[in-house]
Amino acid sequence: MSQTLLQSLLTWCYRIGGLLIVIGAAMPIFIPDTFLTPYVFSLGALLFAAAQLLTPMPNLGITVKRLVWQQRIGALLLLATGVLMFCSRYGVSPFSGAEWQMSLAIAAVLEVYTAFRLPAAIQKAKKQ
């Protein structure tokens, strides 16, 4: 598989996964009792996390490495959120409540923070 094809595939996984995450997170607000919510969210989280985890880490310094690791932790928390959504939906003890909302909030903070900081840190590291 060529490098450009792999990069294109990762980009599409990233985009489709992000869209499915947003749809899956918003479904409980607009359609409260649907069984599809954890499936849609988990598929999106799987695609999104795969794209982030398979993207190579640039070797541009400690700040960039830290931000990439924070981004990867956020991706893993999105996967954990999908698991907690299934536990909540099907009443698996001890996670039968709304624990997935806290996991999603932490993952969202990490992902948004790194989405803004990482490009600036990469650009700064390339200038030096």
Side-chain angles (χ1 to χ4, degrees):
M1 193 185 274
S2 71
Q3 190 66 20
T4 57
L5 180 61
L6 180 63
Q7 190 62 33
S8 175
L9 183 63
L10 287 176
T11 302
W12 278 105
C13 284
Y14 186 77
R15 289 177 182 171
I16 293 170
L19 182 64
L20 287 174
I21 287 172
V22 170
I23 291 170
M27 282 176 80
I29 298 168
F30 298 110
I31 311 168
D33 260 350
T34 183
F35 72 96
L36 289 175
T37 301
Y39 294 100
V40 171
F41 185 89
S42 296
L43 178 62
L46 186 65
L47 290 171
F48 192 80
Q52 283 191 344
L53 294 173
L54 292 175
T55 301
M57 184 184 323
N59 192 9
L60 295 173
I62 190 117
T63 303
V64 173
K65 283 184 181 181
R66 177 185 55 86
L67 287 168
V68 169
W69 277 107
Q70 285 178 349
Q71 188 179 47
R72 290 179 177 181
I73 290 170
L76 292 174
L77 278 172
L78 286 173
L79 291 172
T81 301
V83 171
L84 289 172
M85 283 178 118
F86 278 109
C87 290
S88 176
R89 175 71 183 141
Y90 295 109
V92 176
S93 205
F95 303 111
S96 57
E99 292 89 359
W100 66 269
Q101 294 171 350
M102 184 58 70
S103 175
L104 178 61
I106 295 168
V109 167
L110 286 172
E111 291 291 339
V112 169
Y113 175 73
T114 57
F116 285 105
R117 279 286 294 131
L118 193 57
I122 290 173
Q123 186 178 22
K124 183 179 177 182
K126 284 183 178 178
K127 283 183 181 179
Q128 292 178 351

